[in-house]
């Protein structure tokens, strides 16, 4: 009988209808597949059971998080090869459809062979890091629970990954400098776009660990209210504010943005937060921020975007991201975001894509994580550290391939007089 690796490669190629671009090493030590290709390590039969009972991305993710499935060699190369085979077939017209698989006797035989290889067909329990998927309600309670799952992993873990800046959003790479410099430049870019001046009031929605609030108060003399739903973020940010001697100008609240009632503000920054709002509530989000601004006030909305679909009603949240990374997170096309802001009353004045900047940022975070892997697993746990490594590396590739993007949208609550308060040539802030 053929060894396990050869049987796996044969089954995979029958089911996929295409050559397998990776090499497989199975639990019995056997190897098969193209020489020199990235190596997928199938450590045990449990990995196959996970993929058999939950075919597709989620089954593979469960096997990865549990450590039943691994990769030898360069992670990006392996993910790029597997992504092109598994997740981009529909766009390119390649591979085998499910209907083709069902009709093909050889494919059905391959499935039977896989079942025999797997052994007793008992579905393994999902890794404990998995969140049960549910309908995206985006109530205050469910939003707080989702935010806690993602951000309350531990400040020490995030410090290891993000570096001293503690900024968990796309950096702005103007040169070959450090991640820290690129994050500082991003914060400064936001401040320049908002036109911050001493004495103004800034609301930082989803303030994270306080980086934007501290930078704006220290460098531009504004008073800042930062809101977050994460207790751990708030505690870290408050200490940071105190250490900087800015307690008279920066207030950090554990508060939902929908509960902020002390407007008007001169400016609002929302950096990497709107992805948590949800499509059904996005117009309410935009209207809430519009209502918190004074006439002439500015909003800088920094948000990840997906590519639009021919049938938007068919959009589904990525199973791995929803179950392990950002529960209830939803991405919208850029055009949808701009439309919602305009429907809320804003005048959209500038849109800047930072797609390539985010790919580079994510690679820097992965380097930080891999560079101190033993400590990362101690801080976050084995499974959670593996979640972050896979999610950040796969996201870097998605940005590089234009599958997702990130954009800064500058919008103004333009008064009836039509005076926006912006200079005629706005891009001077990039100088």
């Amino acid at each position: 009988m053929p060894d396990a690796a050869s049987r796996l490669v044969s089954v995979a190629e029958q089911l996929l209808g295409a050559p397998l671009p990776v090499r497989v090493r199975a639990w019995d030590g056997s190897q098969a597949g193209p020489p020199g290709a990235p190596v997928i390590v199938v450590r045990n039969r449990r990995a196959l059971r996970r993929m058999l009972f939950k075919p597709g991305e989620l089954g593979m993710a469960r096997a990865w998080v549990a450590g039943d499935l691994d990769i030898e060699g360069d992670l990006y190369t392996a993910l790029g090869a597997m992504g092109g085979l598994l997740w981009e077939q529909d766009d390119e017209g390649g591979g085998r459809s499910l209907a083709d698989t069902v009709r093909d006797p050889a494919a059905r035989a391959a499935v039977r062979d896989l079942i025999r290889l797997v052994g007793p067909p008992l579905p393994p329990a999902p890794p404990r890091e998995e969140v049960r998927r549910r309908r995206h309600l985006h109530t205050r309670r469910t939003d707080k629970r989702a935010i806690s799952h993602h951000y309350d992993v531990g400040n020490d873990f995030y410090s290891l990954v993000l570096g001293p800046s503690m900024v968990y959003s796309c950096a702005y790479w103007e040169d070959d400098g450090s991640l820290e410099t690129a994050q500082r430049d991003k914060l400064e870019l936001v401040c320049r776009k908002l036109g911050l001046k001493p004495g103004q009031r800034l609301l930082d929605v989803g303030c994270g660990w306080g980086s934007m609030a501290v930078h704006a108060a220290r460098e531009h003399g504004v008073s800042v209210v930062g809101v977050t739903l994460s207790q751990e973020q708030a505690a870290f940010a408050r200490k940071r504010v105190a250490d900087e001697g800015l307690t008279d100008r920066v207030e950090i609240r554990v508060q939902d943005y929908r509960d902020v009632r002390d407007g008007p503000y001169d400016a609002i920054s929302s950096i990497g937060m709107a992805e948590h709002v949800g499509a059904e509530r996005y117009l309410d989000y935009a209207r809430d921020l519009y209502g918190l601004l004074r006439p002439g006030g500015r909003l800088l909305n920094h948000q990840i975007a997906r590519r639009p679909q021919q049938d938007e009603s068919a959009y589904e949240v990525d199973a791995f991201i929803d179950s392990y990374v950002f529960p209830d997170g939803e991405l919208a096309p850029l055009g949808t975001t701009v439309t919602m802001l305009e429907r809320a009353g804003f005048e959209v004045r500038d849109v800047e894509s930072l797609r390539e900047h985010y790919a580079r940022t994510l690679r820097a975070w992965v380097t930080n994580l891999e560079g101190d892997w033993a400590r990362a697993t101690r801080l976050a746990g084995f499974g959670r550290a593996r979640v972050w490594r896979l999610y950040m590396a796969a996201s870097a590739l998605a940005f590089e391939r234009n599958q997702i993007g990130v954009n800064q949208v500058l919008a103004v609550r333009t008064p009836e007089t039509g005076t926006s308060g912006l200079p005629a040539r706005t891009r001077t802030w990039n100088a």
Side-chain angles (χ1 to χ4, degrees), residues 90-400:
D90 290 341
D91 295 335
E92 299 174 3
R96 182 196 298 275
S97 69
L98 179 60
D100 290 338
T101 300
V102 172
R103 287 193 295 263
D104 186 351
R108 294 200 302 270
V111 172
R112 290 194 295 270
D113 188 37
L114 179 62
I115 293 173
R116 286 193 295 269
L117 184 61
V118 163
L122 298 175
R128 62 184 179 86
E129 291 81 9
E130 182 172 318
V131 174
R132 184 172 61 86
R133 300 184 74 194
R134 57 194 180 273
R135 181 170 173 263
H136 295 179
L137 299 175
H138 291 287
T139 64
R140 284 167 171 78
R141 183 170 63 87
T142 60
D143 281 355
K144 188 168 186 176
R145 184 172 57 196
I147 292 297
S148 178
H149 172 84
H150 187 79
Y151 293 103
D152 290 342
V153 179
N155 293 332
D156 290 341
F157 175 76
Y158 274 107
S159 179
L160 183 156
V161 174
L162 304 180
S165 69
M166 290 298 283
V167 179
Y168 193 20
S169 57
C170 172
Y172 189 64
W173 302 87
E174 292 187 315
D175 50 34
D176 294 329
S178 66
L179 173 63
E180 180 74 5
T181 298
Q183 289 291 15
R184 183 200 64 205
D185 289 345
K186 189 275 298 297
L187 297 176
E188 182 60 22
L189 178 65
V190 171
C191 290
R192 293 202 304 267
K193 288 182 176 182
L194 290 173
L196 297 182
K197 298 178 178 61
Q200 289 185 331
R201 298 185 74 212
L202 169 68
L203 174 64
D204 187 28
V205 179
C207 67
W209 292 272
S211 301
M212 176 64 190
V214 167
H215 182 90
R218 185 184 60 216
E219 303 298 330
H220 295 269
V222 297
S223 296
V224 187
V225 171
V227 296
T228 176
L229 295 178
S230 167
Q231 294 283 354
E232 289 199 28
Q233 285 185 334
F236 185 97
R238 286 167 181 157
K239 182 179 185 305
R240 196 173 183 184
V241 168
D243 291 344
E244 291 277 352
L246 295 171
T247 53
D248 59 329
R249 276 186 279 164
V250 178
E251 178 187 2
I252 302 296
R253 304 173 184 169
V254 178
Q255 184 179 34
D256 193 295
Y257 73 93
R258 290 167 285 196
D259 296 327
V260 176
R261 297 287 184 267
D262 59 346
Y265 288 86
D266 298 288
I268 298 176
S269 54
S270 179
I271 306 173
M273 176 271 174
E275 298 88 344
H276 298 286
V277 171
E280 292 184 4
R281 298 191 181 274
Y282 200 92
L283 184 57
D284 294 333
Y285 157 82
R287 285 172 173 162
D288 285 342
L289 300 191
Y290 183 87
L292 286 167
L293 279 172
R294 64 165 176 80
R298 302 181 191 180
L299 165 69
L300 192 287
N301 192 76
H302 178 119
Q303 182 177 342
I304 298 173
R306 62 176 171 84
R307 302 292 296 171
Q309 298 184 355
Q310 292 296 326
D311 179 10
E312 278 295 313
S313 65
Y315 167 67
E316 292 185 359
V317 177
D318 180 273
F320 168 61
I321 298 295
D322 195 36
S323 299
Y324 286 96
V325 186
F326 288 107
D328 292 351
E330 296 179 63
L331 300 183
L334 172 61
T336 300
T337 296
V338 170
T339 296
M340 291 297 181
L341 292 173
E342 290 181 328
R343 285 181 60 189
F346 282 105
E347 179 189 8
V348 173
R349 294 299 301 250
D350 186 81
V351 177
E352 182 175 7
S353 171
L354 302 180
R355 178 172 63 83
E356 293 88 350
H357 294 263
Y358 216 159
R360 186 171 172 183
T361 304
L362 284 156
R363 282 182 176 263
W365 291 342
V366 172
T367 297
N368 288 345
L369 178 64
E370 293 178 339
D372 203 350
W373 181 251
R375 182 165 178 259
T377 57
R378 288 198 304 271
L379 291 171
F382 174 80
R384 186 63 66 89
R386 287 176 68 83
V387 167
W388 255 246
R389 183 173 179 238
L390 177 62
Y391 132 70
M392 291 191 299
S395 296
L397 291 175
F399 280 107
E400 288 168 357

